[in-house]
Amino acid sequence: MLSMPGNAEGTSGTMHRILVADDDAGIRSLLRDFLEGEGYEIAEAANGVAVLDALKNQSDESPDLVLMDVRMPDKSGLDVLREAPEAARAAGHLPIIVITGYGTSNVAIDAMQFGAYDYIVKPFDLDEVLNLVERFFDRRRLDDQVEPLSVRVGGRDPNEVIIGNSGAMREVYKTVGRVARSDATVLITGETGTGKELVATVLHRSSSYGSGTLVKVNCAALPETLLESELFGHEKGSFTGAINQRKGRFEMANKGTIFLDEVGEMSLATQKKLLRVLQEREFERVGGSVAVKIDTRVIAATNKVLEQEVEDGRFREDLYYRLNVISIFLPPLRDRGDDIPLLVEHFLDKHRFSAAAGPSRISQGAMRMLLEHDWPGNVRQLENVIERATVLCQGGVIADEHIDLSGADNRRFVDIGQRLRKGASLSELLAEVERRALSEALTQTDGDRLAASVMLGLDLSEFKQRLTEFEIA
Ligand SMILES: Nc1ncnc2c1ncn2[C@@H]1O[C@H](COP(=O)(O)OP(=O)(O)OP(=O)(O)O)[C@@H](O)[C@H]1O
Ligand SMILES: [Mg+2]
């Protein structure tokens, strides 16, 4: 067996110094006893000012790593991160592991953005702390390069909060915090309803493009030709109906972010054009010859397994690599049951029965039903179930009978109000409705094209043409 130098020992043979900062003396001594037992040298701080002093005082006494609670009197942990001296930053982050309360993502994302090395959630277990501490020193030894993070302060829309405390979700917050300030392309994958669009929105808001527009395009909603002109715009007269020059979504997203939703549905021809935009950051409008330059962050999402699509020849491999610079996988809800109570609480608050009423409460029996369900529609389905239950129980206590898990999957239902708020254009909406009508007619007639065309009041040939246009088999 290889013998490795003890982790608690620096290269010079001196012990690593860790400053434990928490206003709770009990937690300080718990961490002190444990980490001293592991061979670290421990100092304590009871408030944020003391941590700042220790970071400013670059001497032999200064800590190699700070384990810091976010909630402290005088200066909070976030204040400390914000005000920490530049000199204390190395490889793009501060030597600080933040300890946050159990709950939402915001503090974690903020802490990562303000340059924390990592974070840990209370109540924590000591092995987890040790693991992180060891990783910190390992990584410092490797002098890993991480993009410098700079500071952004700002409020958040309560609807744009990612809830979840499971290990997988914590990884998501870390990645979001780390990559937000870069312009790297991000690919978000996960089953339907796992929060891909939500994560894209939060990523955009926390990014350096956050003051620009977030333009969302659903690549599945439009047939190929429309999608191209939607993305890249067109010149006057470039095709029948192109009466005026029109800017595409990429141009609208200049200095902002474009969110390419369901990118796995894009035709190979459009994929080729997208690849060029990603490579060269320029394109021509449909029917045009002038190159339009853009500075746009690209976030793509798909519920398909793109590796498989590549293998089957439906997705360009080169485009896959261009999109997948950073990937964020959102696990299905059934794999993170611990997040269910937190999500339920969040949705009860979000969907109050009336503006005046407080959030509904939920009975243990009803909660058990939610915990035992396997959620094919993931978080979206959970949200729908809670929203319906708050109406049924009229803002009171949600009991078993208010929980409907039969789960009519209404995700394809076009909620026009919501889609408009999310930036859908009329052509997108009409195409979504048309696509839905076409496939619904086929479903209702068991795939009988003639019957379906009659149902829709179309000639068979016209019906077939539209099926081809929408790539409906
Ligand atoms: N972790 C979460 N915390 C809070 N709300 C969430 C979370 N994940 C999803 N939601 C909510 O669930 C709904 C569905 O999420 P979203 O639209 O982002 O999913 P999606 O992965 O894009 O789904 P699809 O693949 O079907 O488009 C939204 O209302 C969203 O706000
Ligand atoms: Mg989505």
Side-chain angles (χ1 to χ4, degrees):
M1 223 174 89
L2 274 175
S3 104
M4 299 284 284
N7 238 323
E9 214 167 85
T11 36
S12 58
T14 55
M15 277 200 284
H16 287 313
R17 266 182 312 276
I18 302 179
L19 177 64
V20 174
D22 199 307
D23 54 328
D24 180 337
I27 297 212
R28 289 201 307 268
S29 67
L30 173 79
L31 287 169
R32 171 192 280 276
D33 290 349
F34 173 69
L35 290 168
E36 277 180 350
E38 296 294 331
Y40 294 95
E41 191 183 317
I42 304 297
E44 293 183 24
N47 56 56
V49 174
V51 178
L52 276 174
D53 286 346
L55 289 172
K56 281 179 188 149
N57 159 33
Q58 291 287 323
S59 71
D60 287 353
E61 300 294 295
S62 51
D64 299 306
L65 170 65
V66 182
L67 273 177
M68 175 178 72
D69 191 13
V70 265
R71 221 180 289 163
M72 286 184 298
D74 65 51
K75 288 201 185 298
S76 74
L78 291 181
D79 293 332
V80 172
L81 291 169
R82 243 188 314 249
E83 295 170 28
E86 273 311 307
R89 247 171 247 267
H93 59 77
L94 289 160
I96 299 182
I97 294 176
V98 165
I99 304 173
T100 75
Y102 188 70
T104 70
S105 60
N106 287 7
V107 175
I109 291 179
D110 284 343
M112 296 304 288
Q113 270 204 289
F114 290 145
Y117 167 74
D118 212 324
Y119 73 97
I120 197 156
V121 181
K122 268 184 191 169
F124 48 77
D125 74 49
L126 289 169
D127 286 340
E128 199 183 348
V129 174
L130 183 60
N131 223 318
L132 259 181
V133 167
E134 286 182 344
R135 254 204 351 243
F136 172 85
F137 287 113
D138 280 347
R139 178 150 164 181
R140 208 179 62 167
R141 244 198 313 261
L142 295 170
D143 195 26
D144 211 339
Q145 290 298 312
V146 178
E147 290 252 358
L149 299 161
S150 45
V151 174
R152 190 184 109 96
V153 204
R156 261 197 195 94
D157 179 340
N159 279 323
E160 291 174 2
V161 177
I162 311 169
I163 305 290
N165 208 20
S166 50
M169 292 309 292
R170 293 194 218 165
E171 284 306 313
V172 171
Y173 308 149
K174 279 187 219 166
T175 314
V176 169
R178 285 200 183 116
V179 305
R181 305 297 293 182
S182 78
D183 60 0
T185 302
V186 178
L187 178 66
I188 308 176
T189 56
E191 289 179 12
T192 181
T194 46
K196 297 185 291 297
E197 186 168 339
L198 174 64
V199 168
T201 308
V202 172
L203 180 54
H204 164 73
R205 294 264 183 268
S206 2
S207 76
S208 37
Y209 293 86
S211 51
T213 330
L214 171 64
V215 175
K216 299 177 178 178
V217 188
N218 182 344
C219 304
L222 295 172
E224 182 174 338
T225 47
L226 264 182
L227 178 61
E228 258 178 45
S229 99
E230 196 69 40
L231 286 174
F232 307 115
H234 58 245
E235 297 294 346
K236 185 173 171 178
S238 55
F239 54 84
T240 331
I243 306 165
N244 290 308
Q245 186 206 60
R246 179 155 182 256
K247 280 191 180 174
R249 297 298 181 106
F250 265 104
E251 270 179 275
M252 295 197 247
N254 196 24
K255 307 279 179 220
T257 304
I258 191 163
F259 176 52
L260 301 172
D261 203 359
E262 311 218 27
V263 74
E265 308 295 327
M266 204 178 252
S267 71
L268 286 163
T270 314
Q271 286 175 32
K272 189 169 169 193
K273 300 204 168 164
L274 175 60
L275 178 69
R276 185 174 153 223
V277 182
L278 293 179
Q279 279 168 341
E280 295 165 25
R281 301 280 154 181
E282 66 172 41
F283 58 89
E284 284 99 38
R285 299 192 190 99
V286 174
S289 54
V290 185
V292 181
K293 284 198 179 305
I294 43 146
D295 173 21
T296 299
R297 172 75 174 272
V298 178
I299 304 178
T302 179
N303 51 26
K304 291 199 163 163
V305 179
L306 281 190
E307 290 89 339
Q308 188 60 49
E309 297 296 298
V310 168
E311 206 157 288
D312 297 346
R314 284 189 298 268
F315 204 85
R316 293 180 67 107
E317 190 172 11
D318 44 10
L319 178 59
Y320 169 67
Y321 288 117
R322 279 276 167 185
L323 289 175
N324 196 26
V325 178
I326 308 283
S327 59
I328 297 182
F329 168 69
L330 295 176
L333 191 54
R334 62 181 169 281
D335 291 347
R336 47 183 169 114
D338 289 352
D339 287 346
I340 290 178
L342 287 176
L343 284 162
V344 169
E345 205 177 296
H346 172 69
F347 293 135
L348 287 177
D349 199 34
K350 180 170 166 188
H351 302 288
R352 291 165 184 243
F353 175 62
S354 72
S360 308
R361 282 166 306 131
I362 183 157
S363 70
Q364 280 191 23
M367 181 61 95
R368 202 170 320 117
M369 286 171 74
L370 300 178
L371 288 170
E372 283 165 6
H373 193 60
D374 81 334
W375 303 108
N378 294 299
V379 185
R380 180 186 289 106
Q381 190 191 2
L382 175 64
E383 180 167 5
N384 288 343
V385 167
I386 297 294
E387 188 174 5
R388 203 169 319 153
T390 49
V391 174
L392 290 176
C393 78
Q394 308 216 334
V397 175
I398 295 173
D400 298 21
E401 67 263 30
H402 301 129
I403 302 284
D404 175 9
L405 297 172
S406 63
D409 182 5
N410 58 1
R411 78 194 168 87
R412 291 289 165 207
F413 180 73
V414 181
D415 176 343
I416 290 182
Q418 193 190 26
R419 299 283 292 113
L420 282 176
R421 280 194 297 282
K422 289 188 168 186
S425 65
L426 180 61
S427 53
E428 257 184 311
L429 284 172
L430 292 178
E432 275 176 47
V433 173
E434 181 166 355
R435 163 185 276 277
R436 192 175 148 78
L438 295 172
S439 40
E440 189 61 40
L442 280 173
T443 310
Q444 294 196 13
T445 56
D446 287 332
D448 181 336
R449 294 185 170 203
L450 182 59
S453 70
V454 171
M455 187 177 253
L456 293 166
L458 295 173
D459 291 341
L460 181 58
S461 61
E462 196 181 349
F463 179 60
K464 283 184 176 164
Q465 194 188 325
R466 291 191 191 200
L467 289 183
T468 318
E469 204 181 320
F470 281 89
E471 295 174 341
I472 299 173

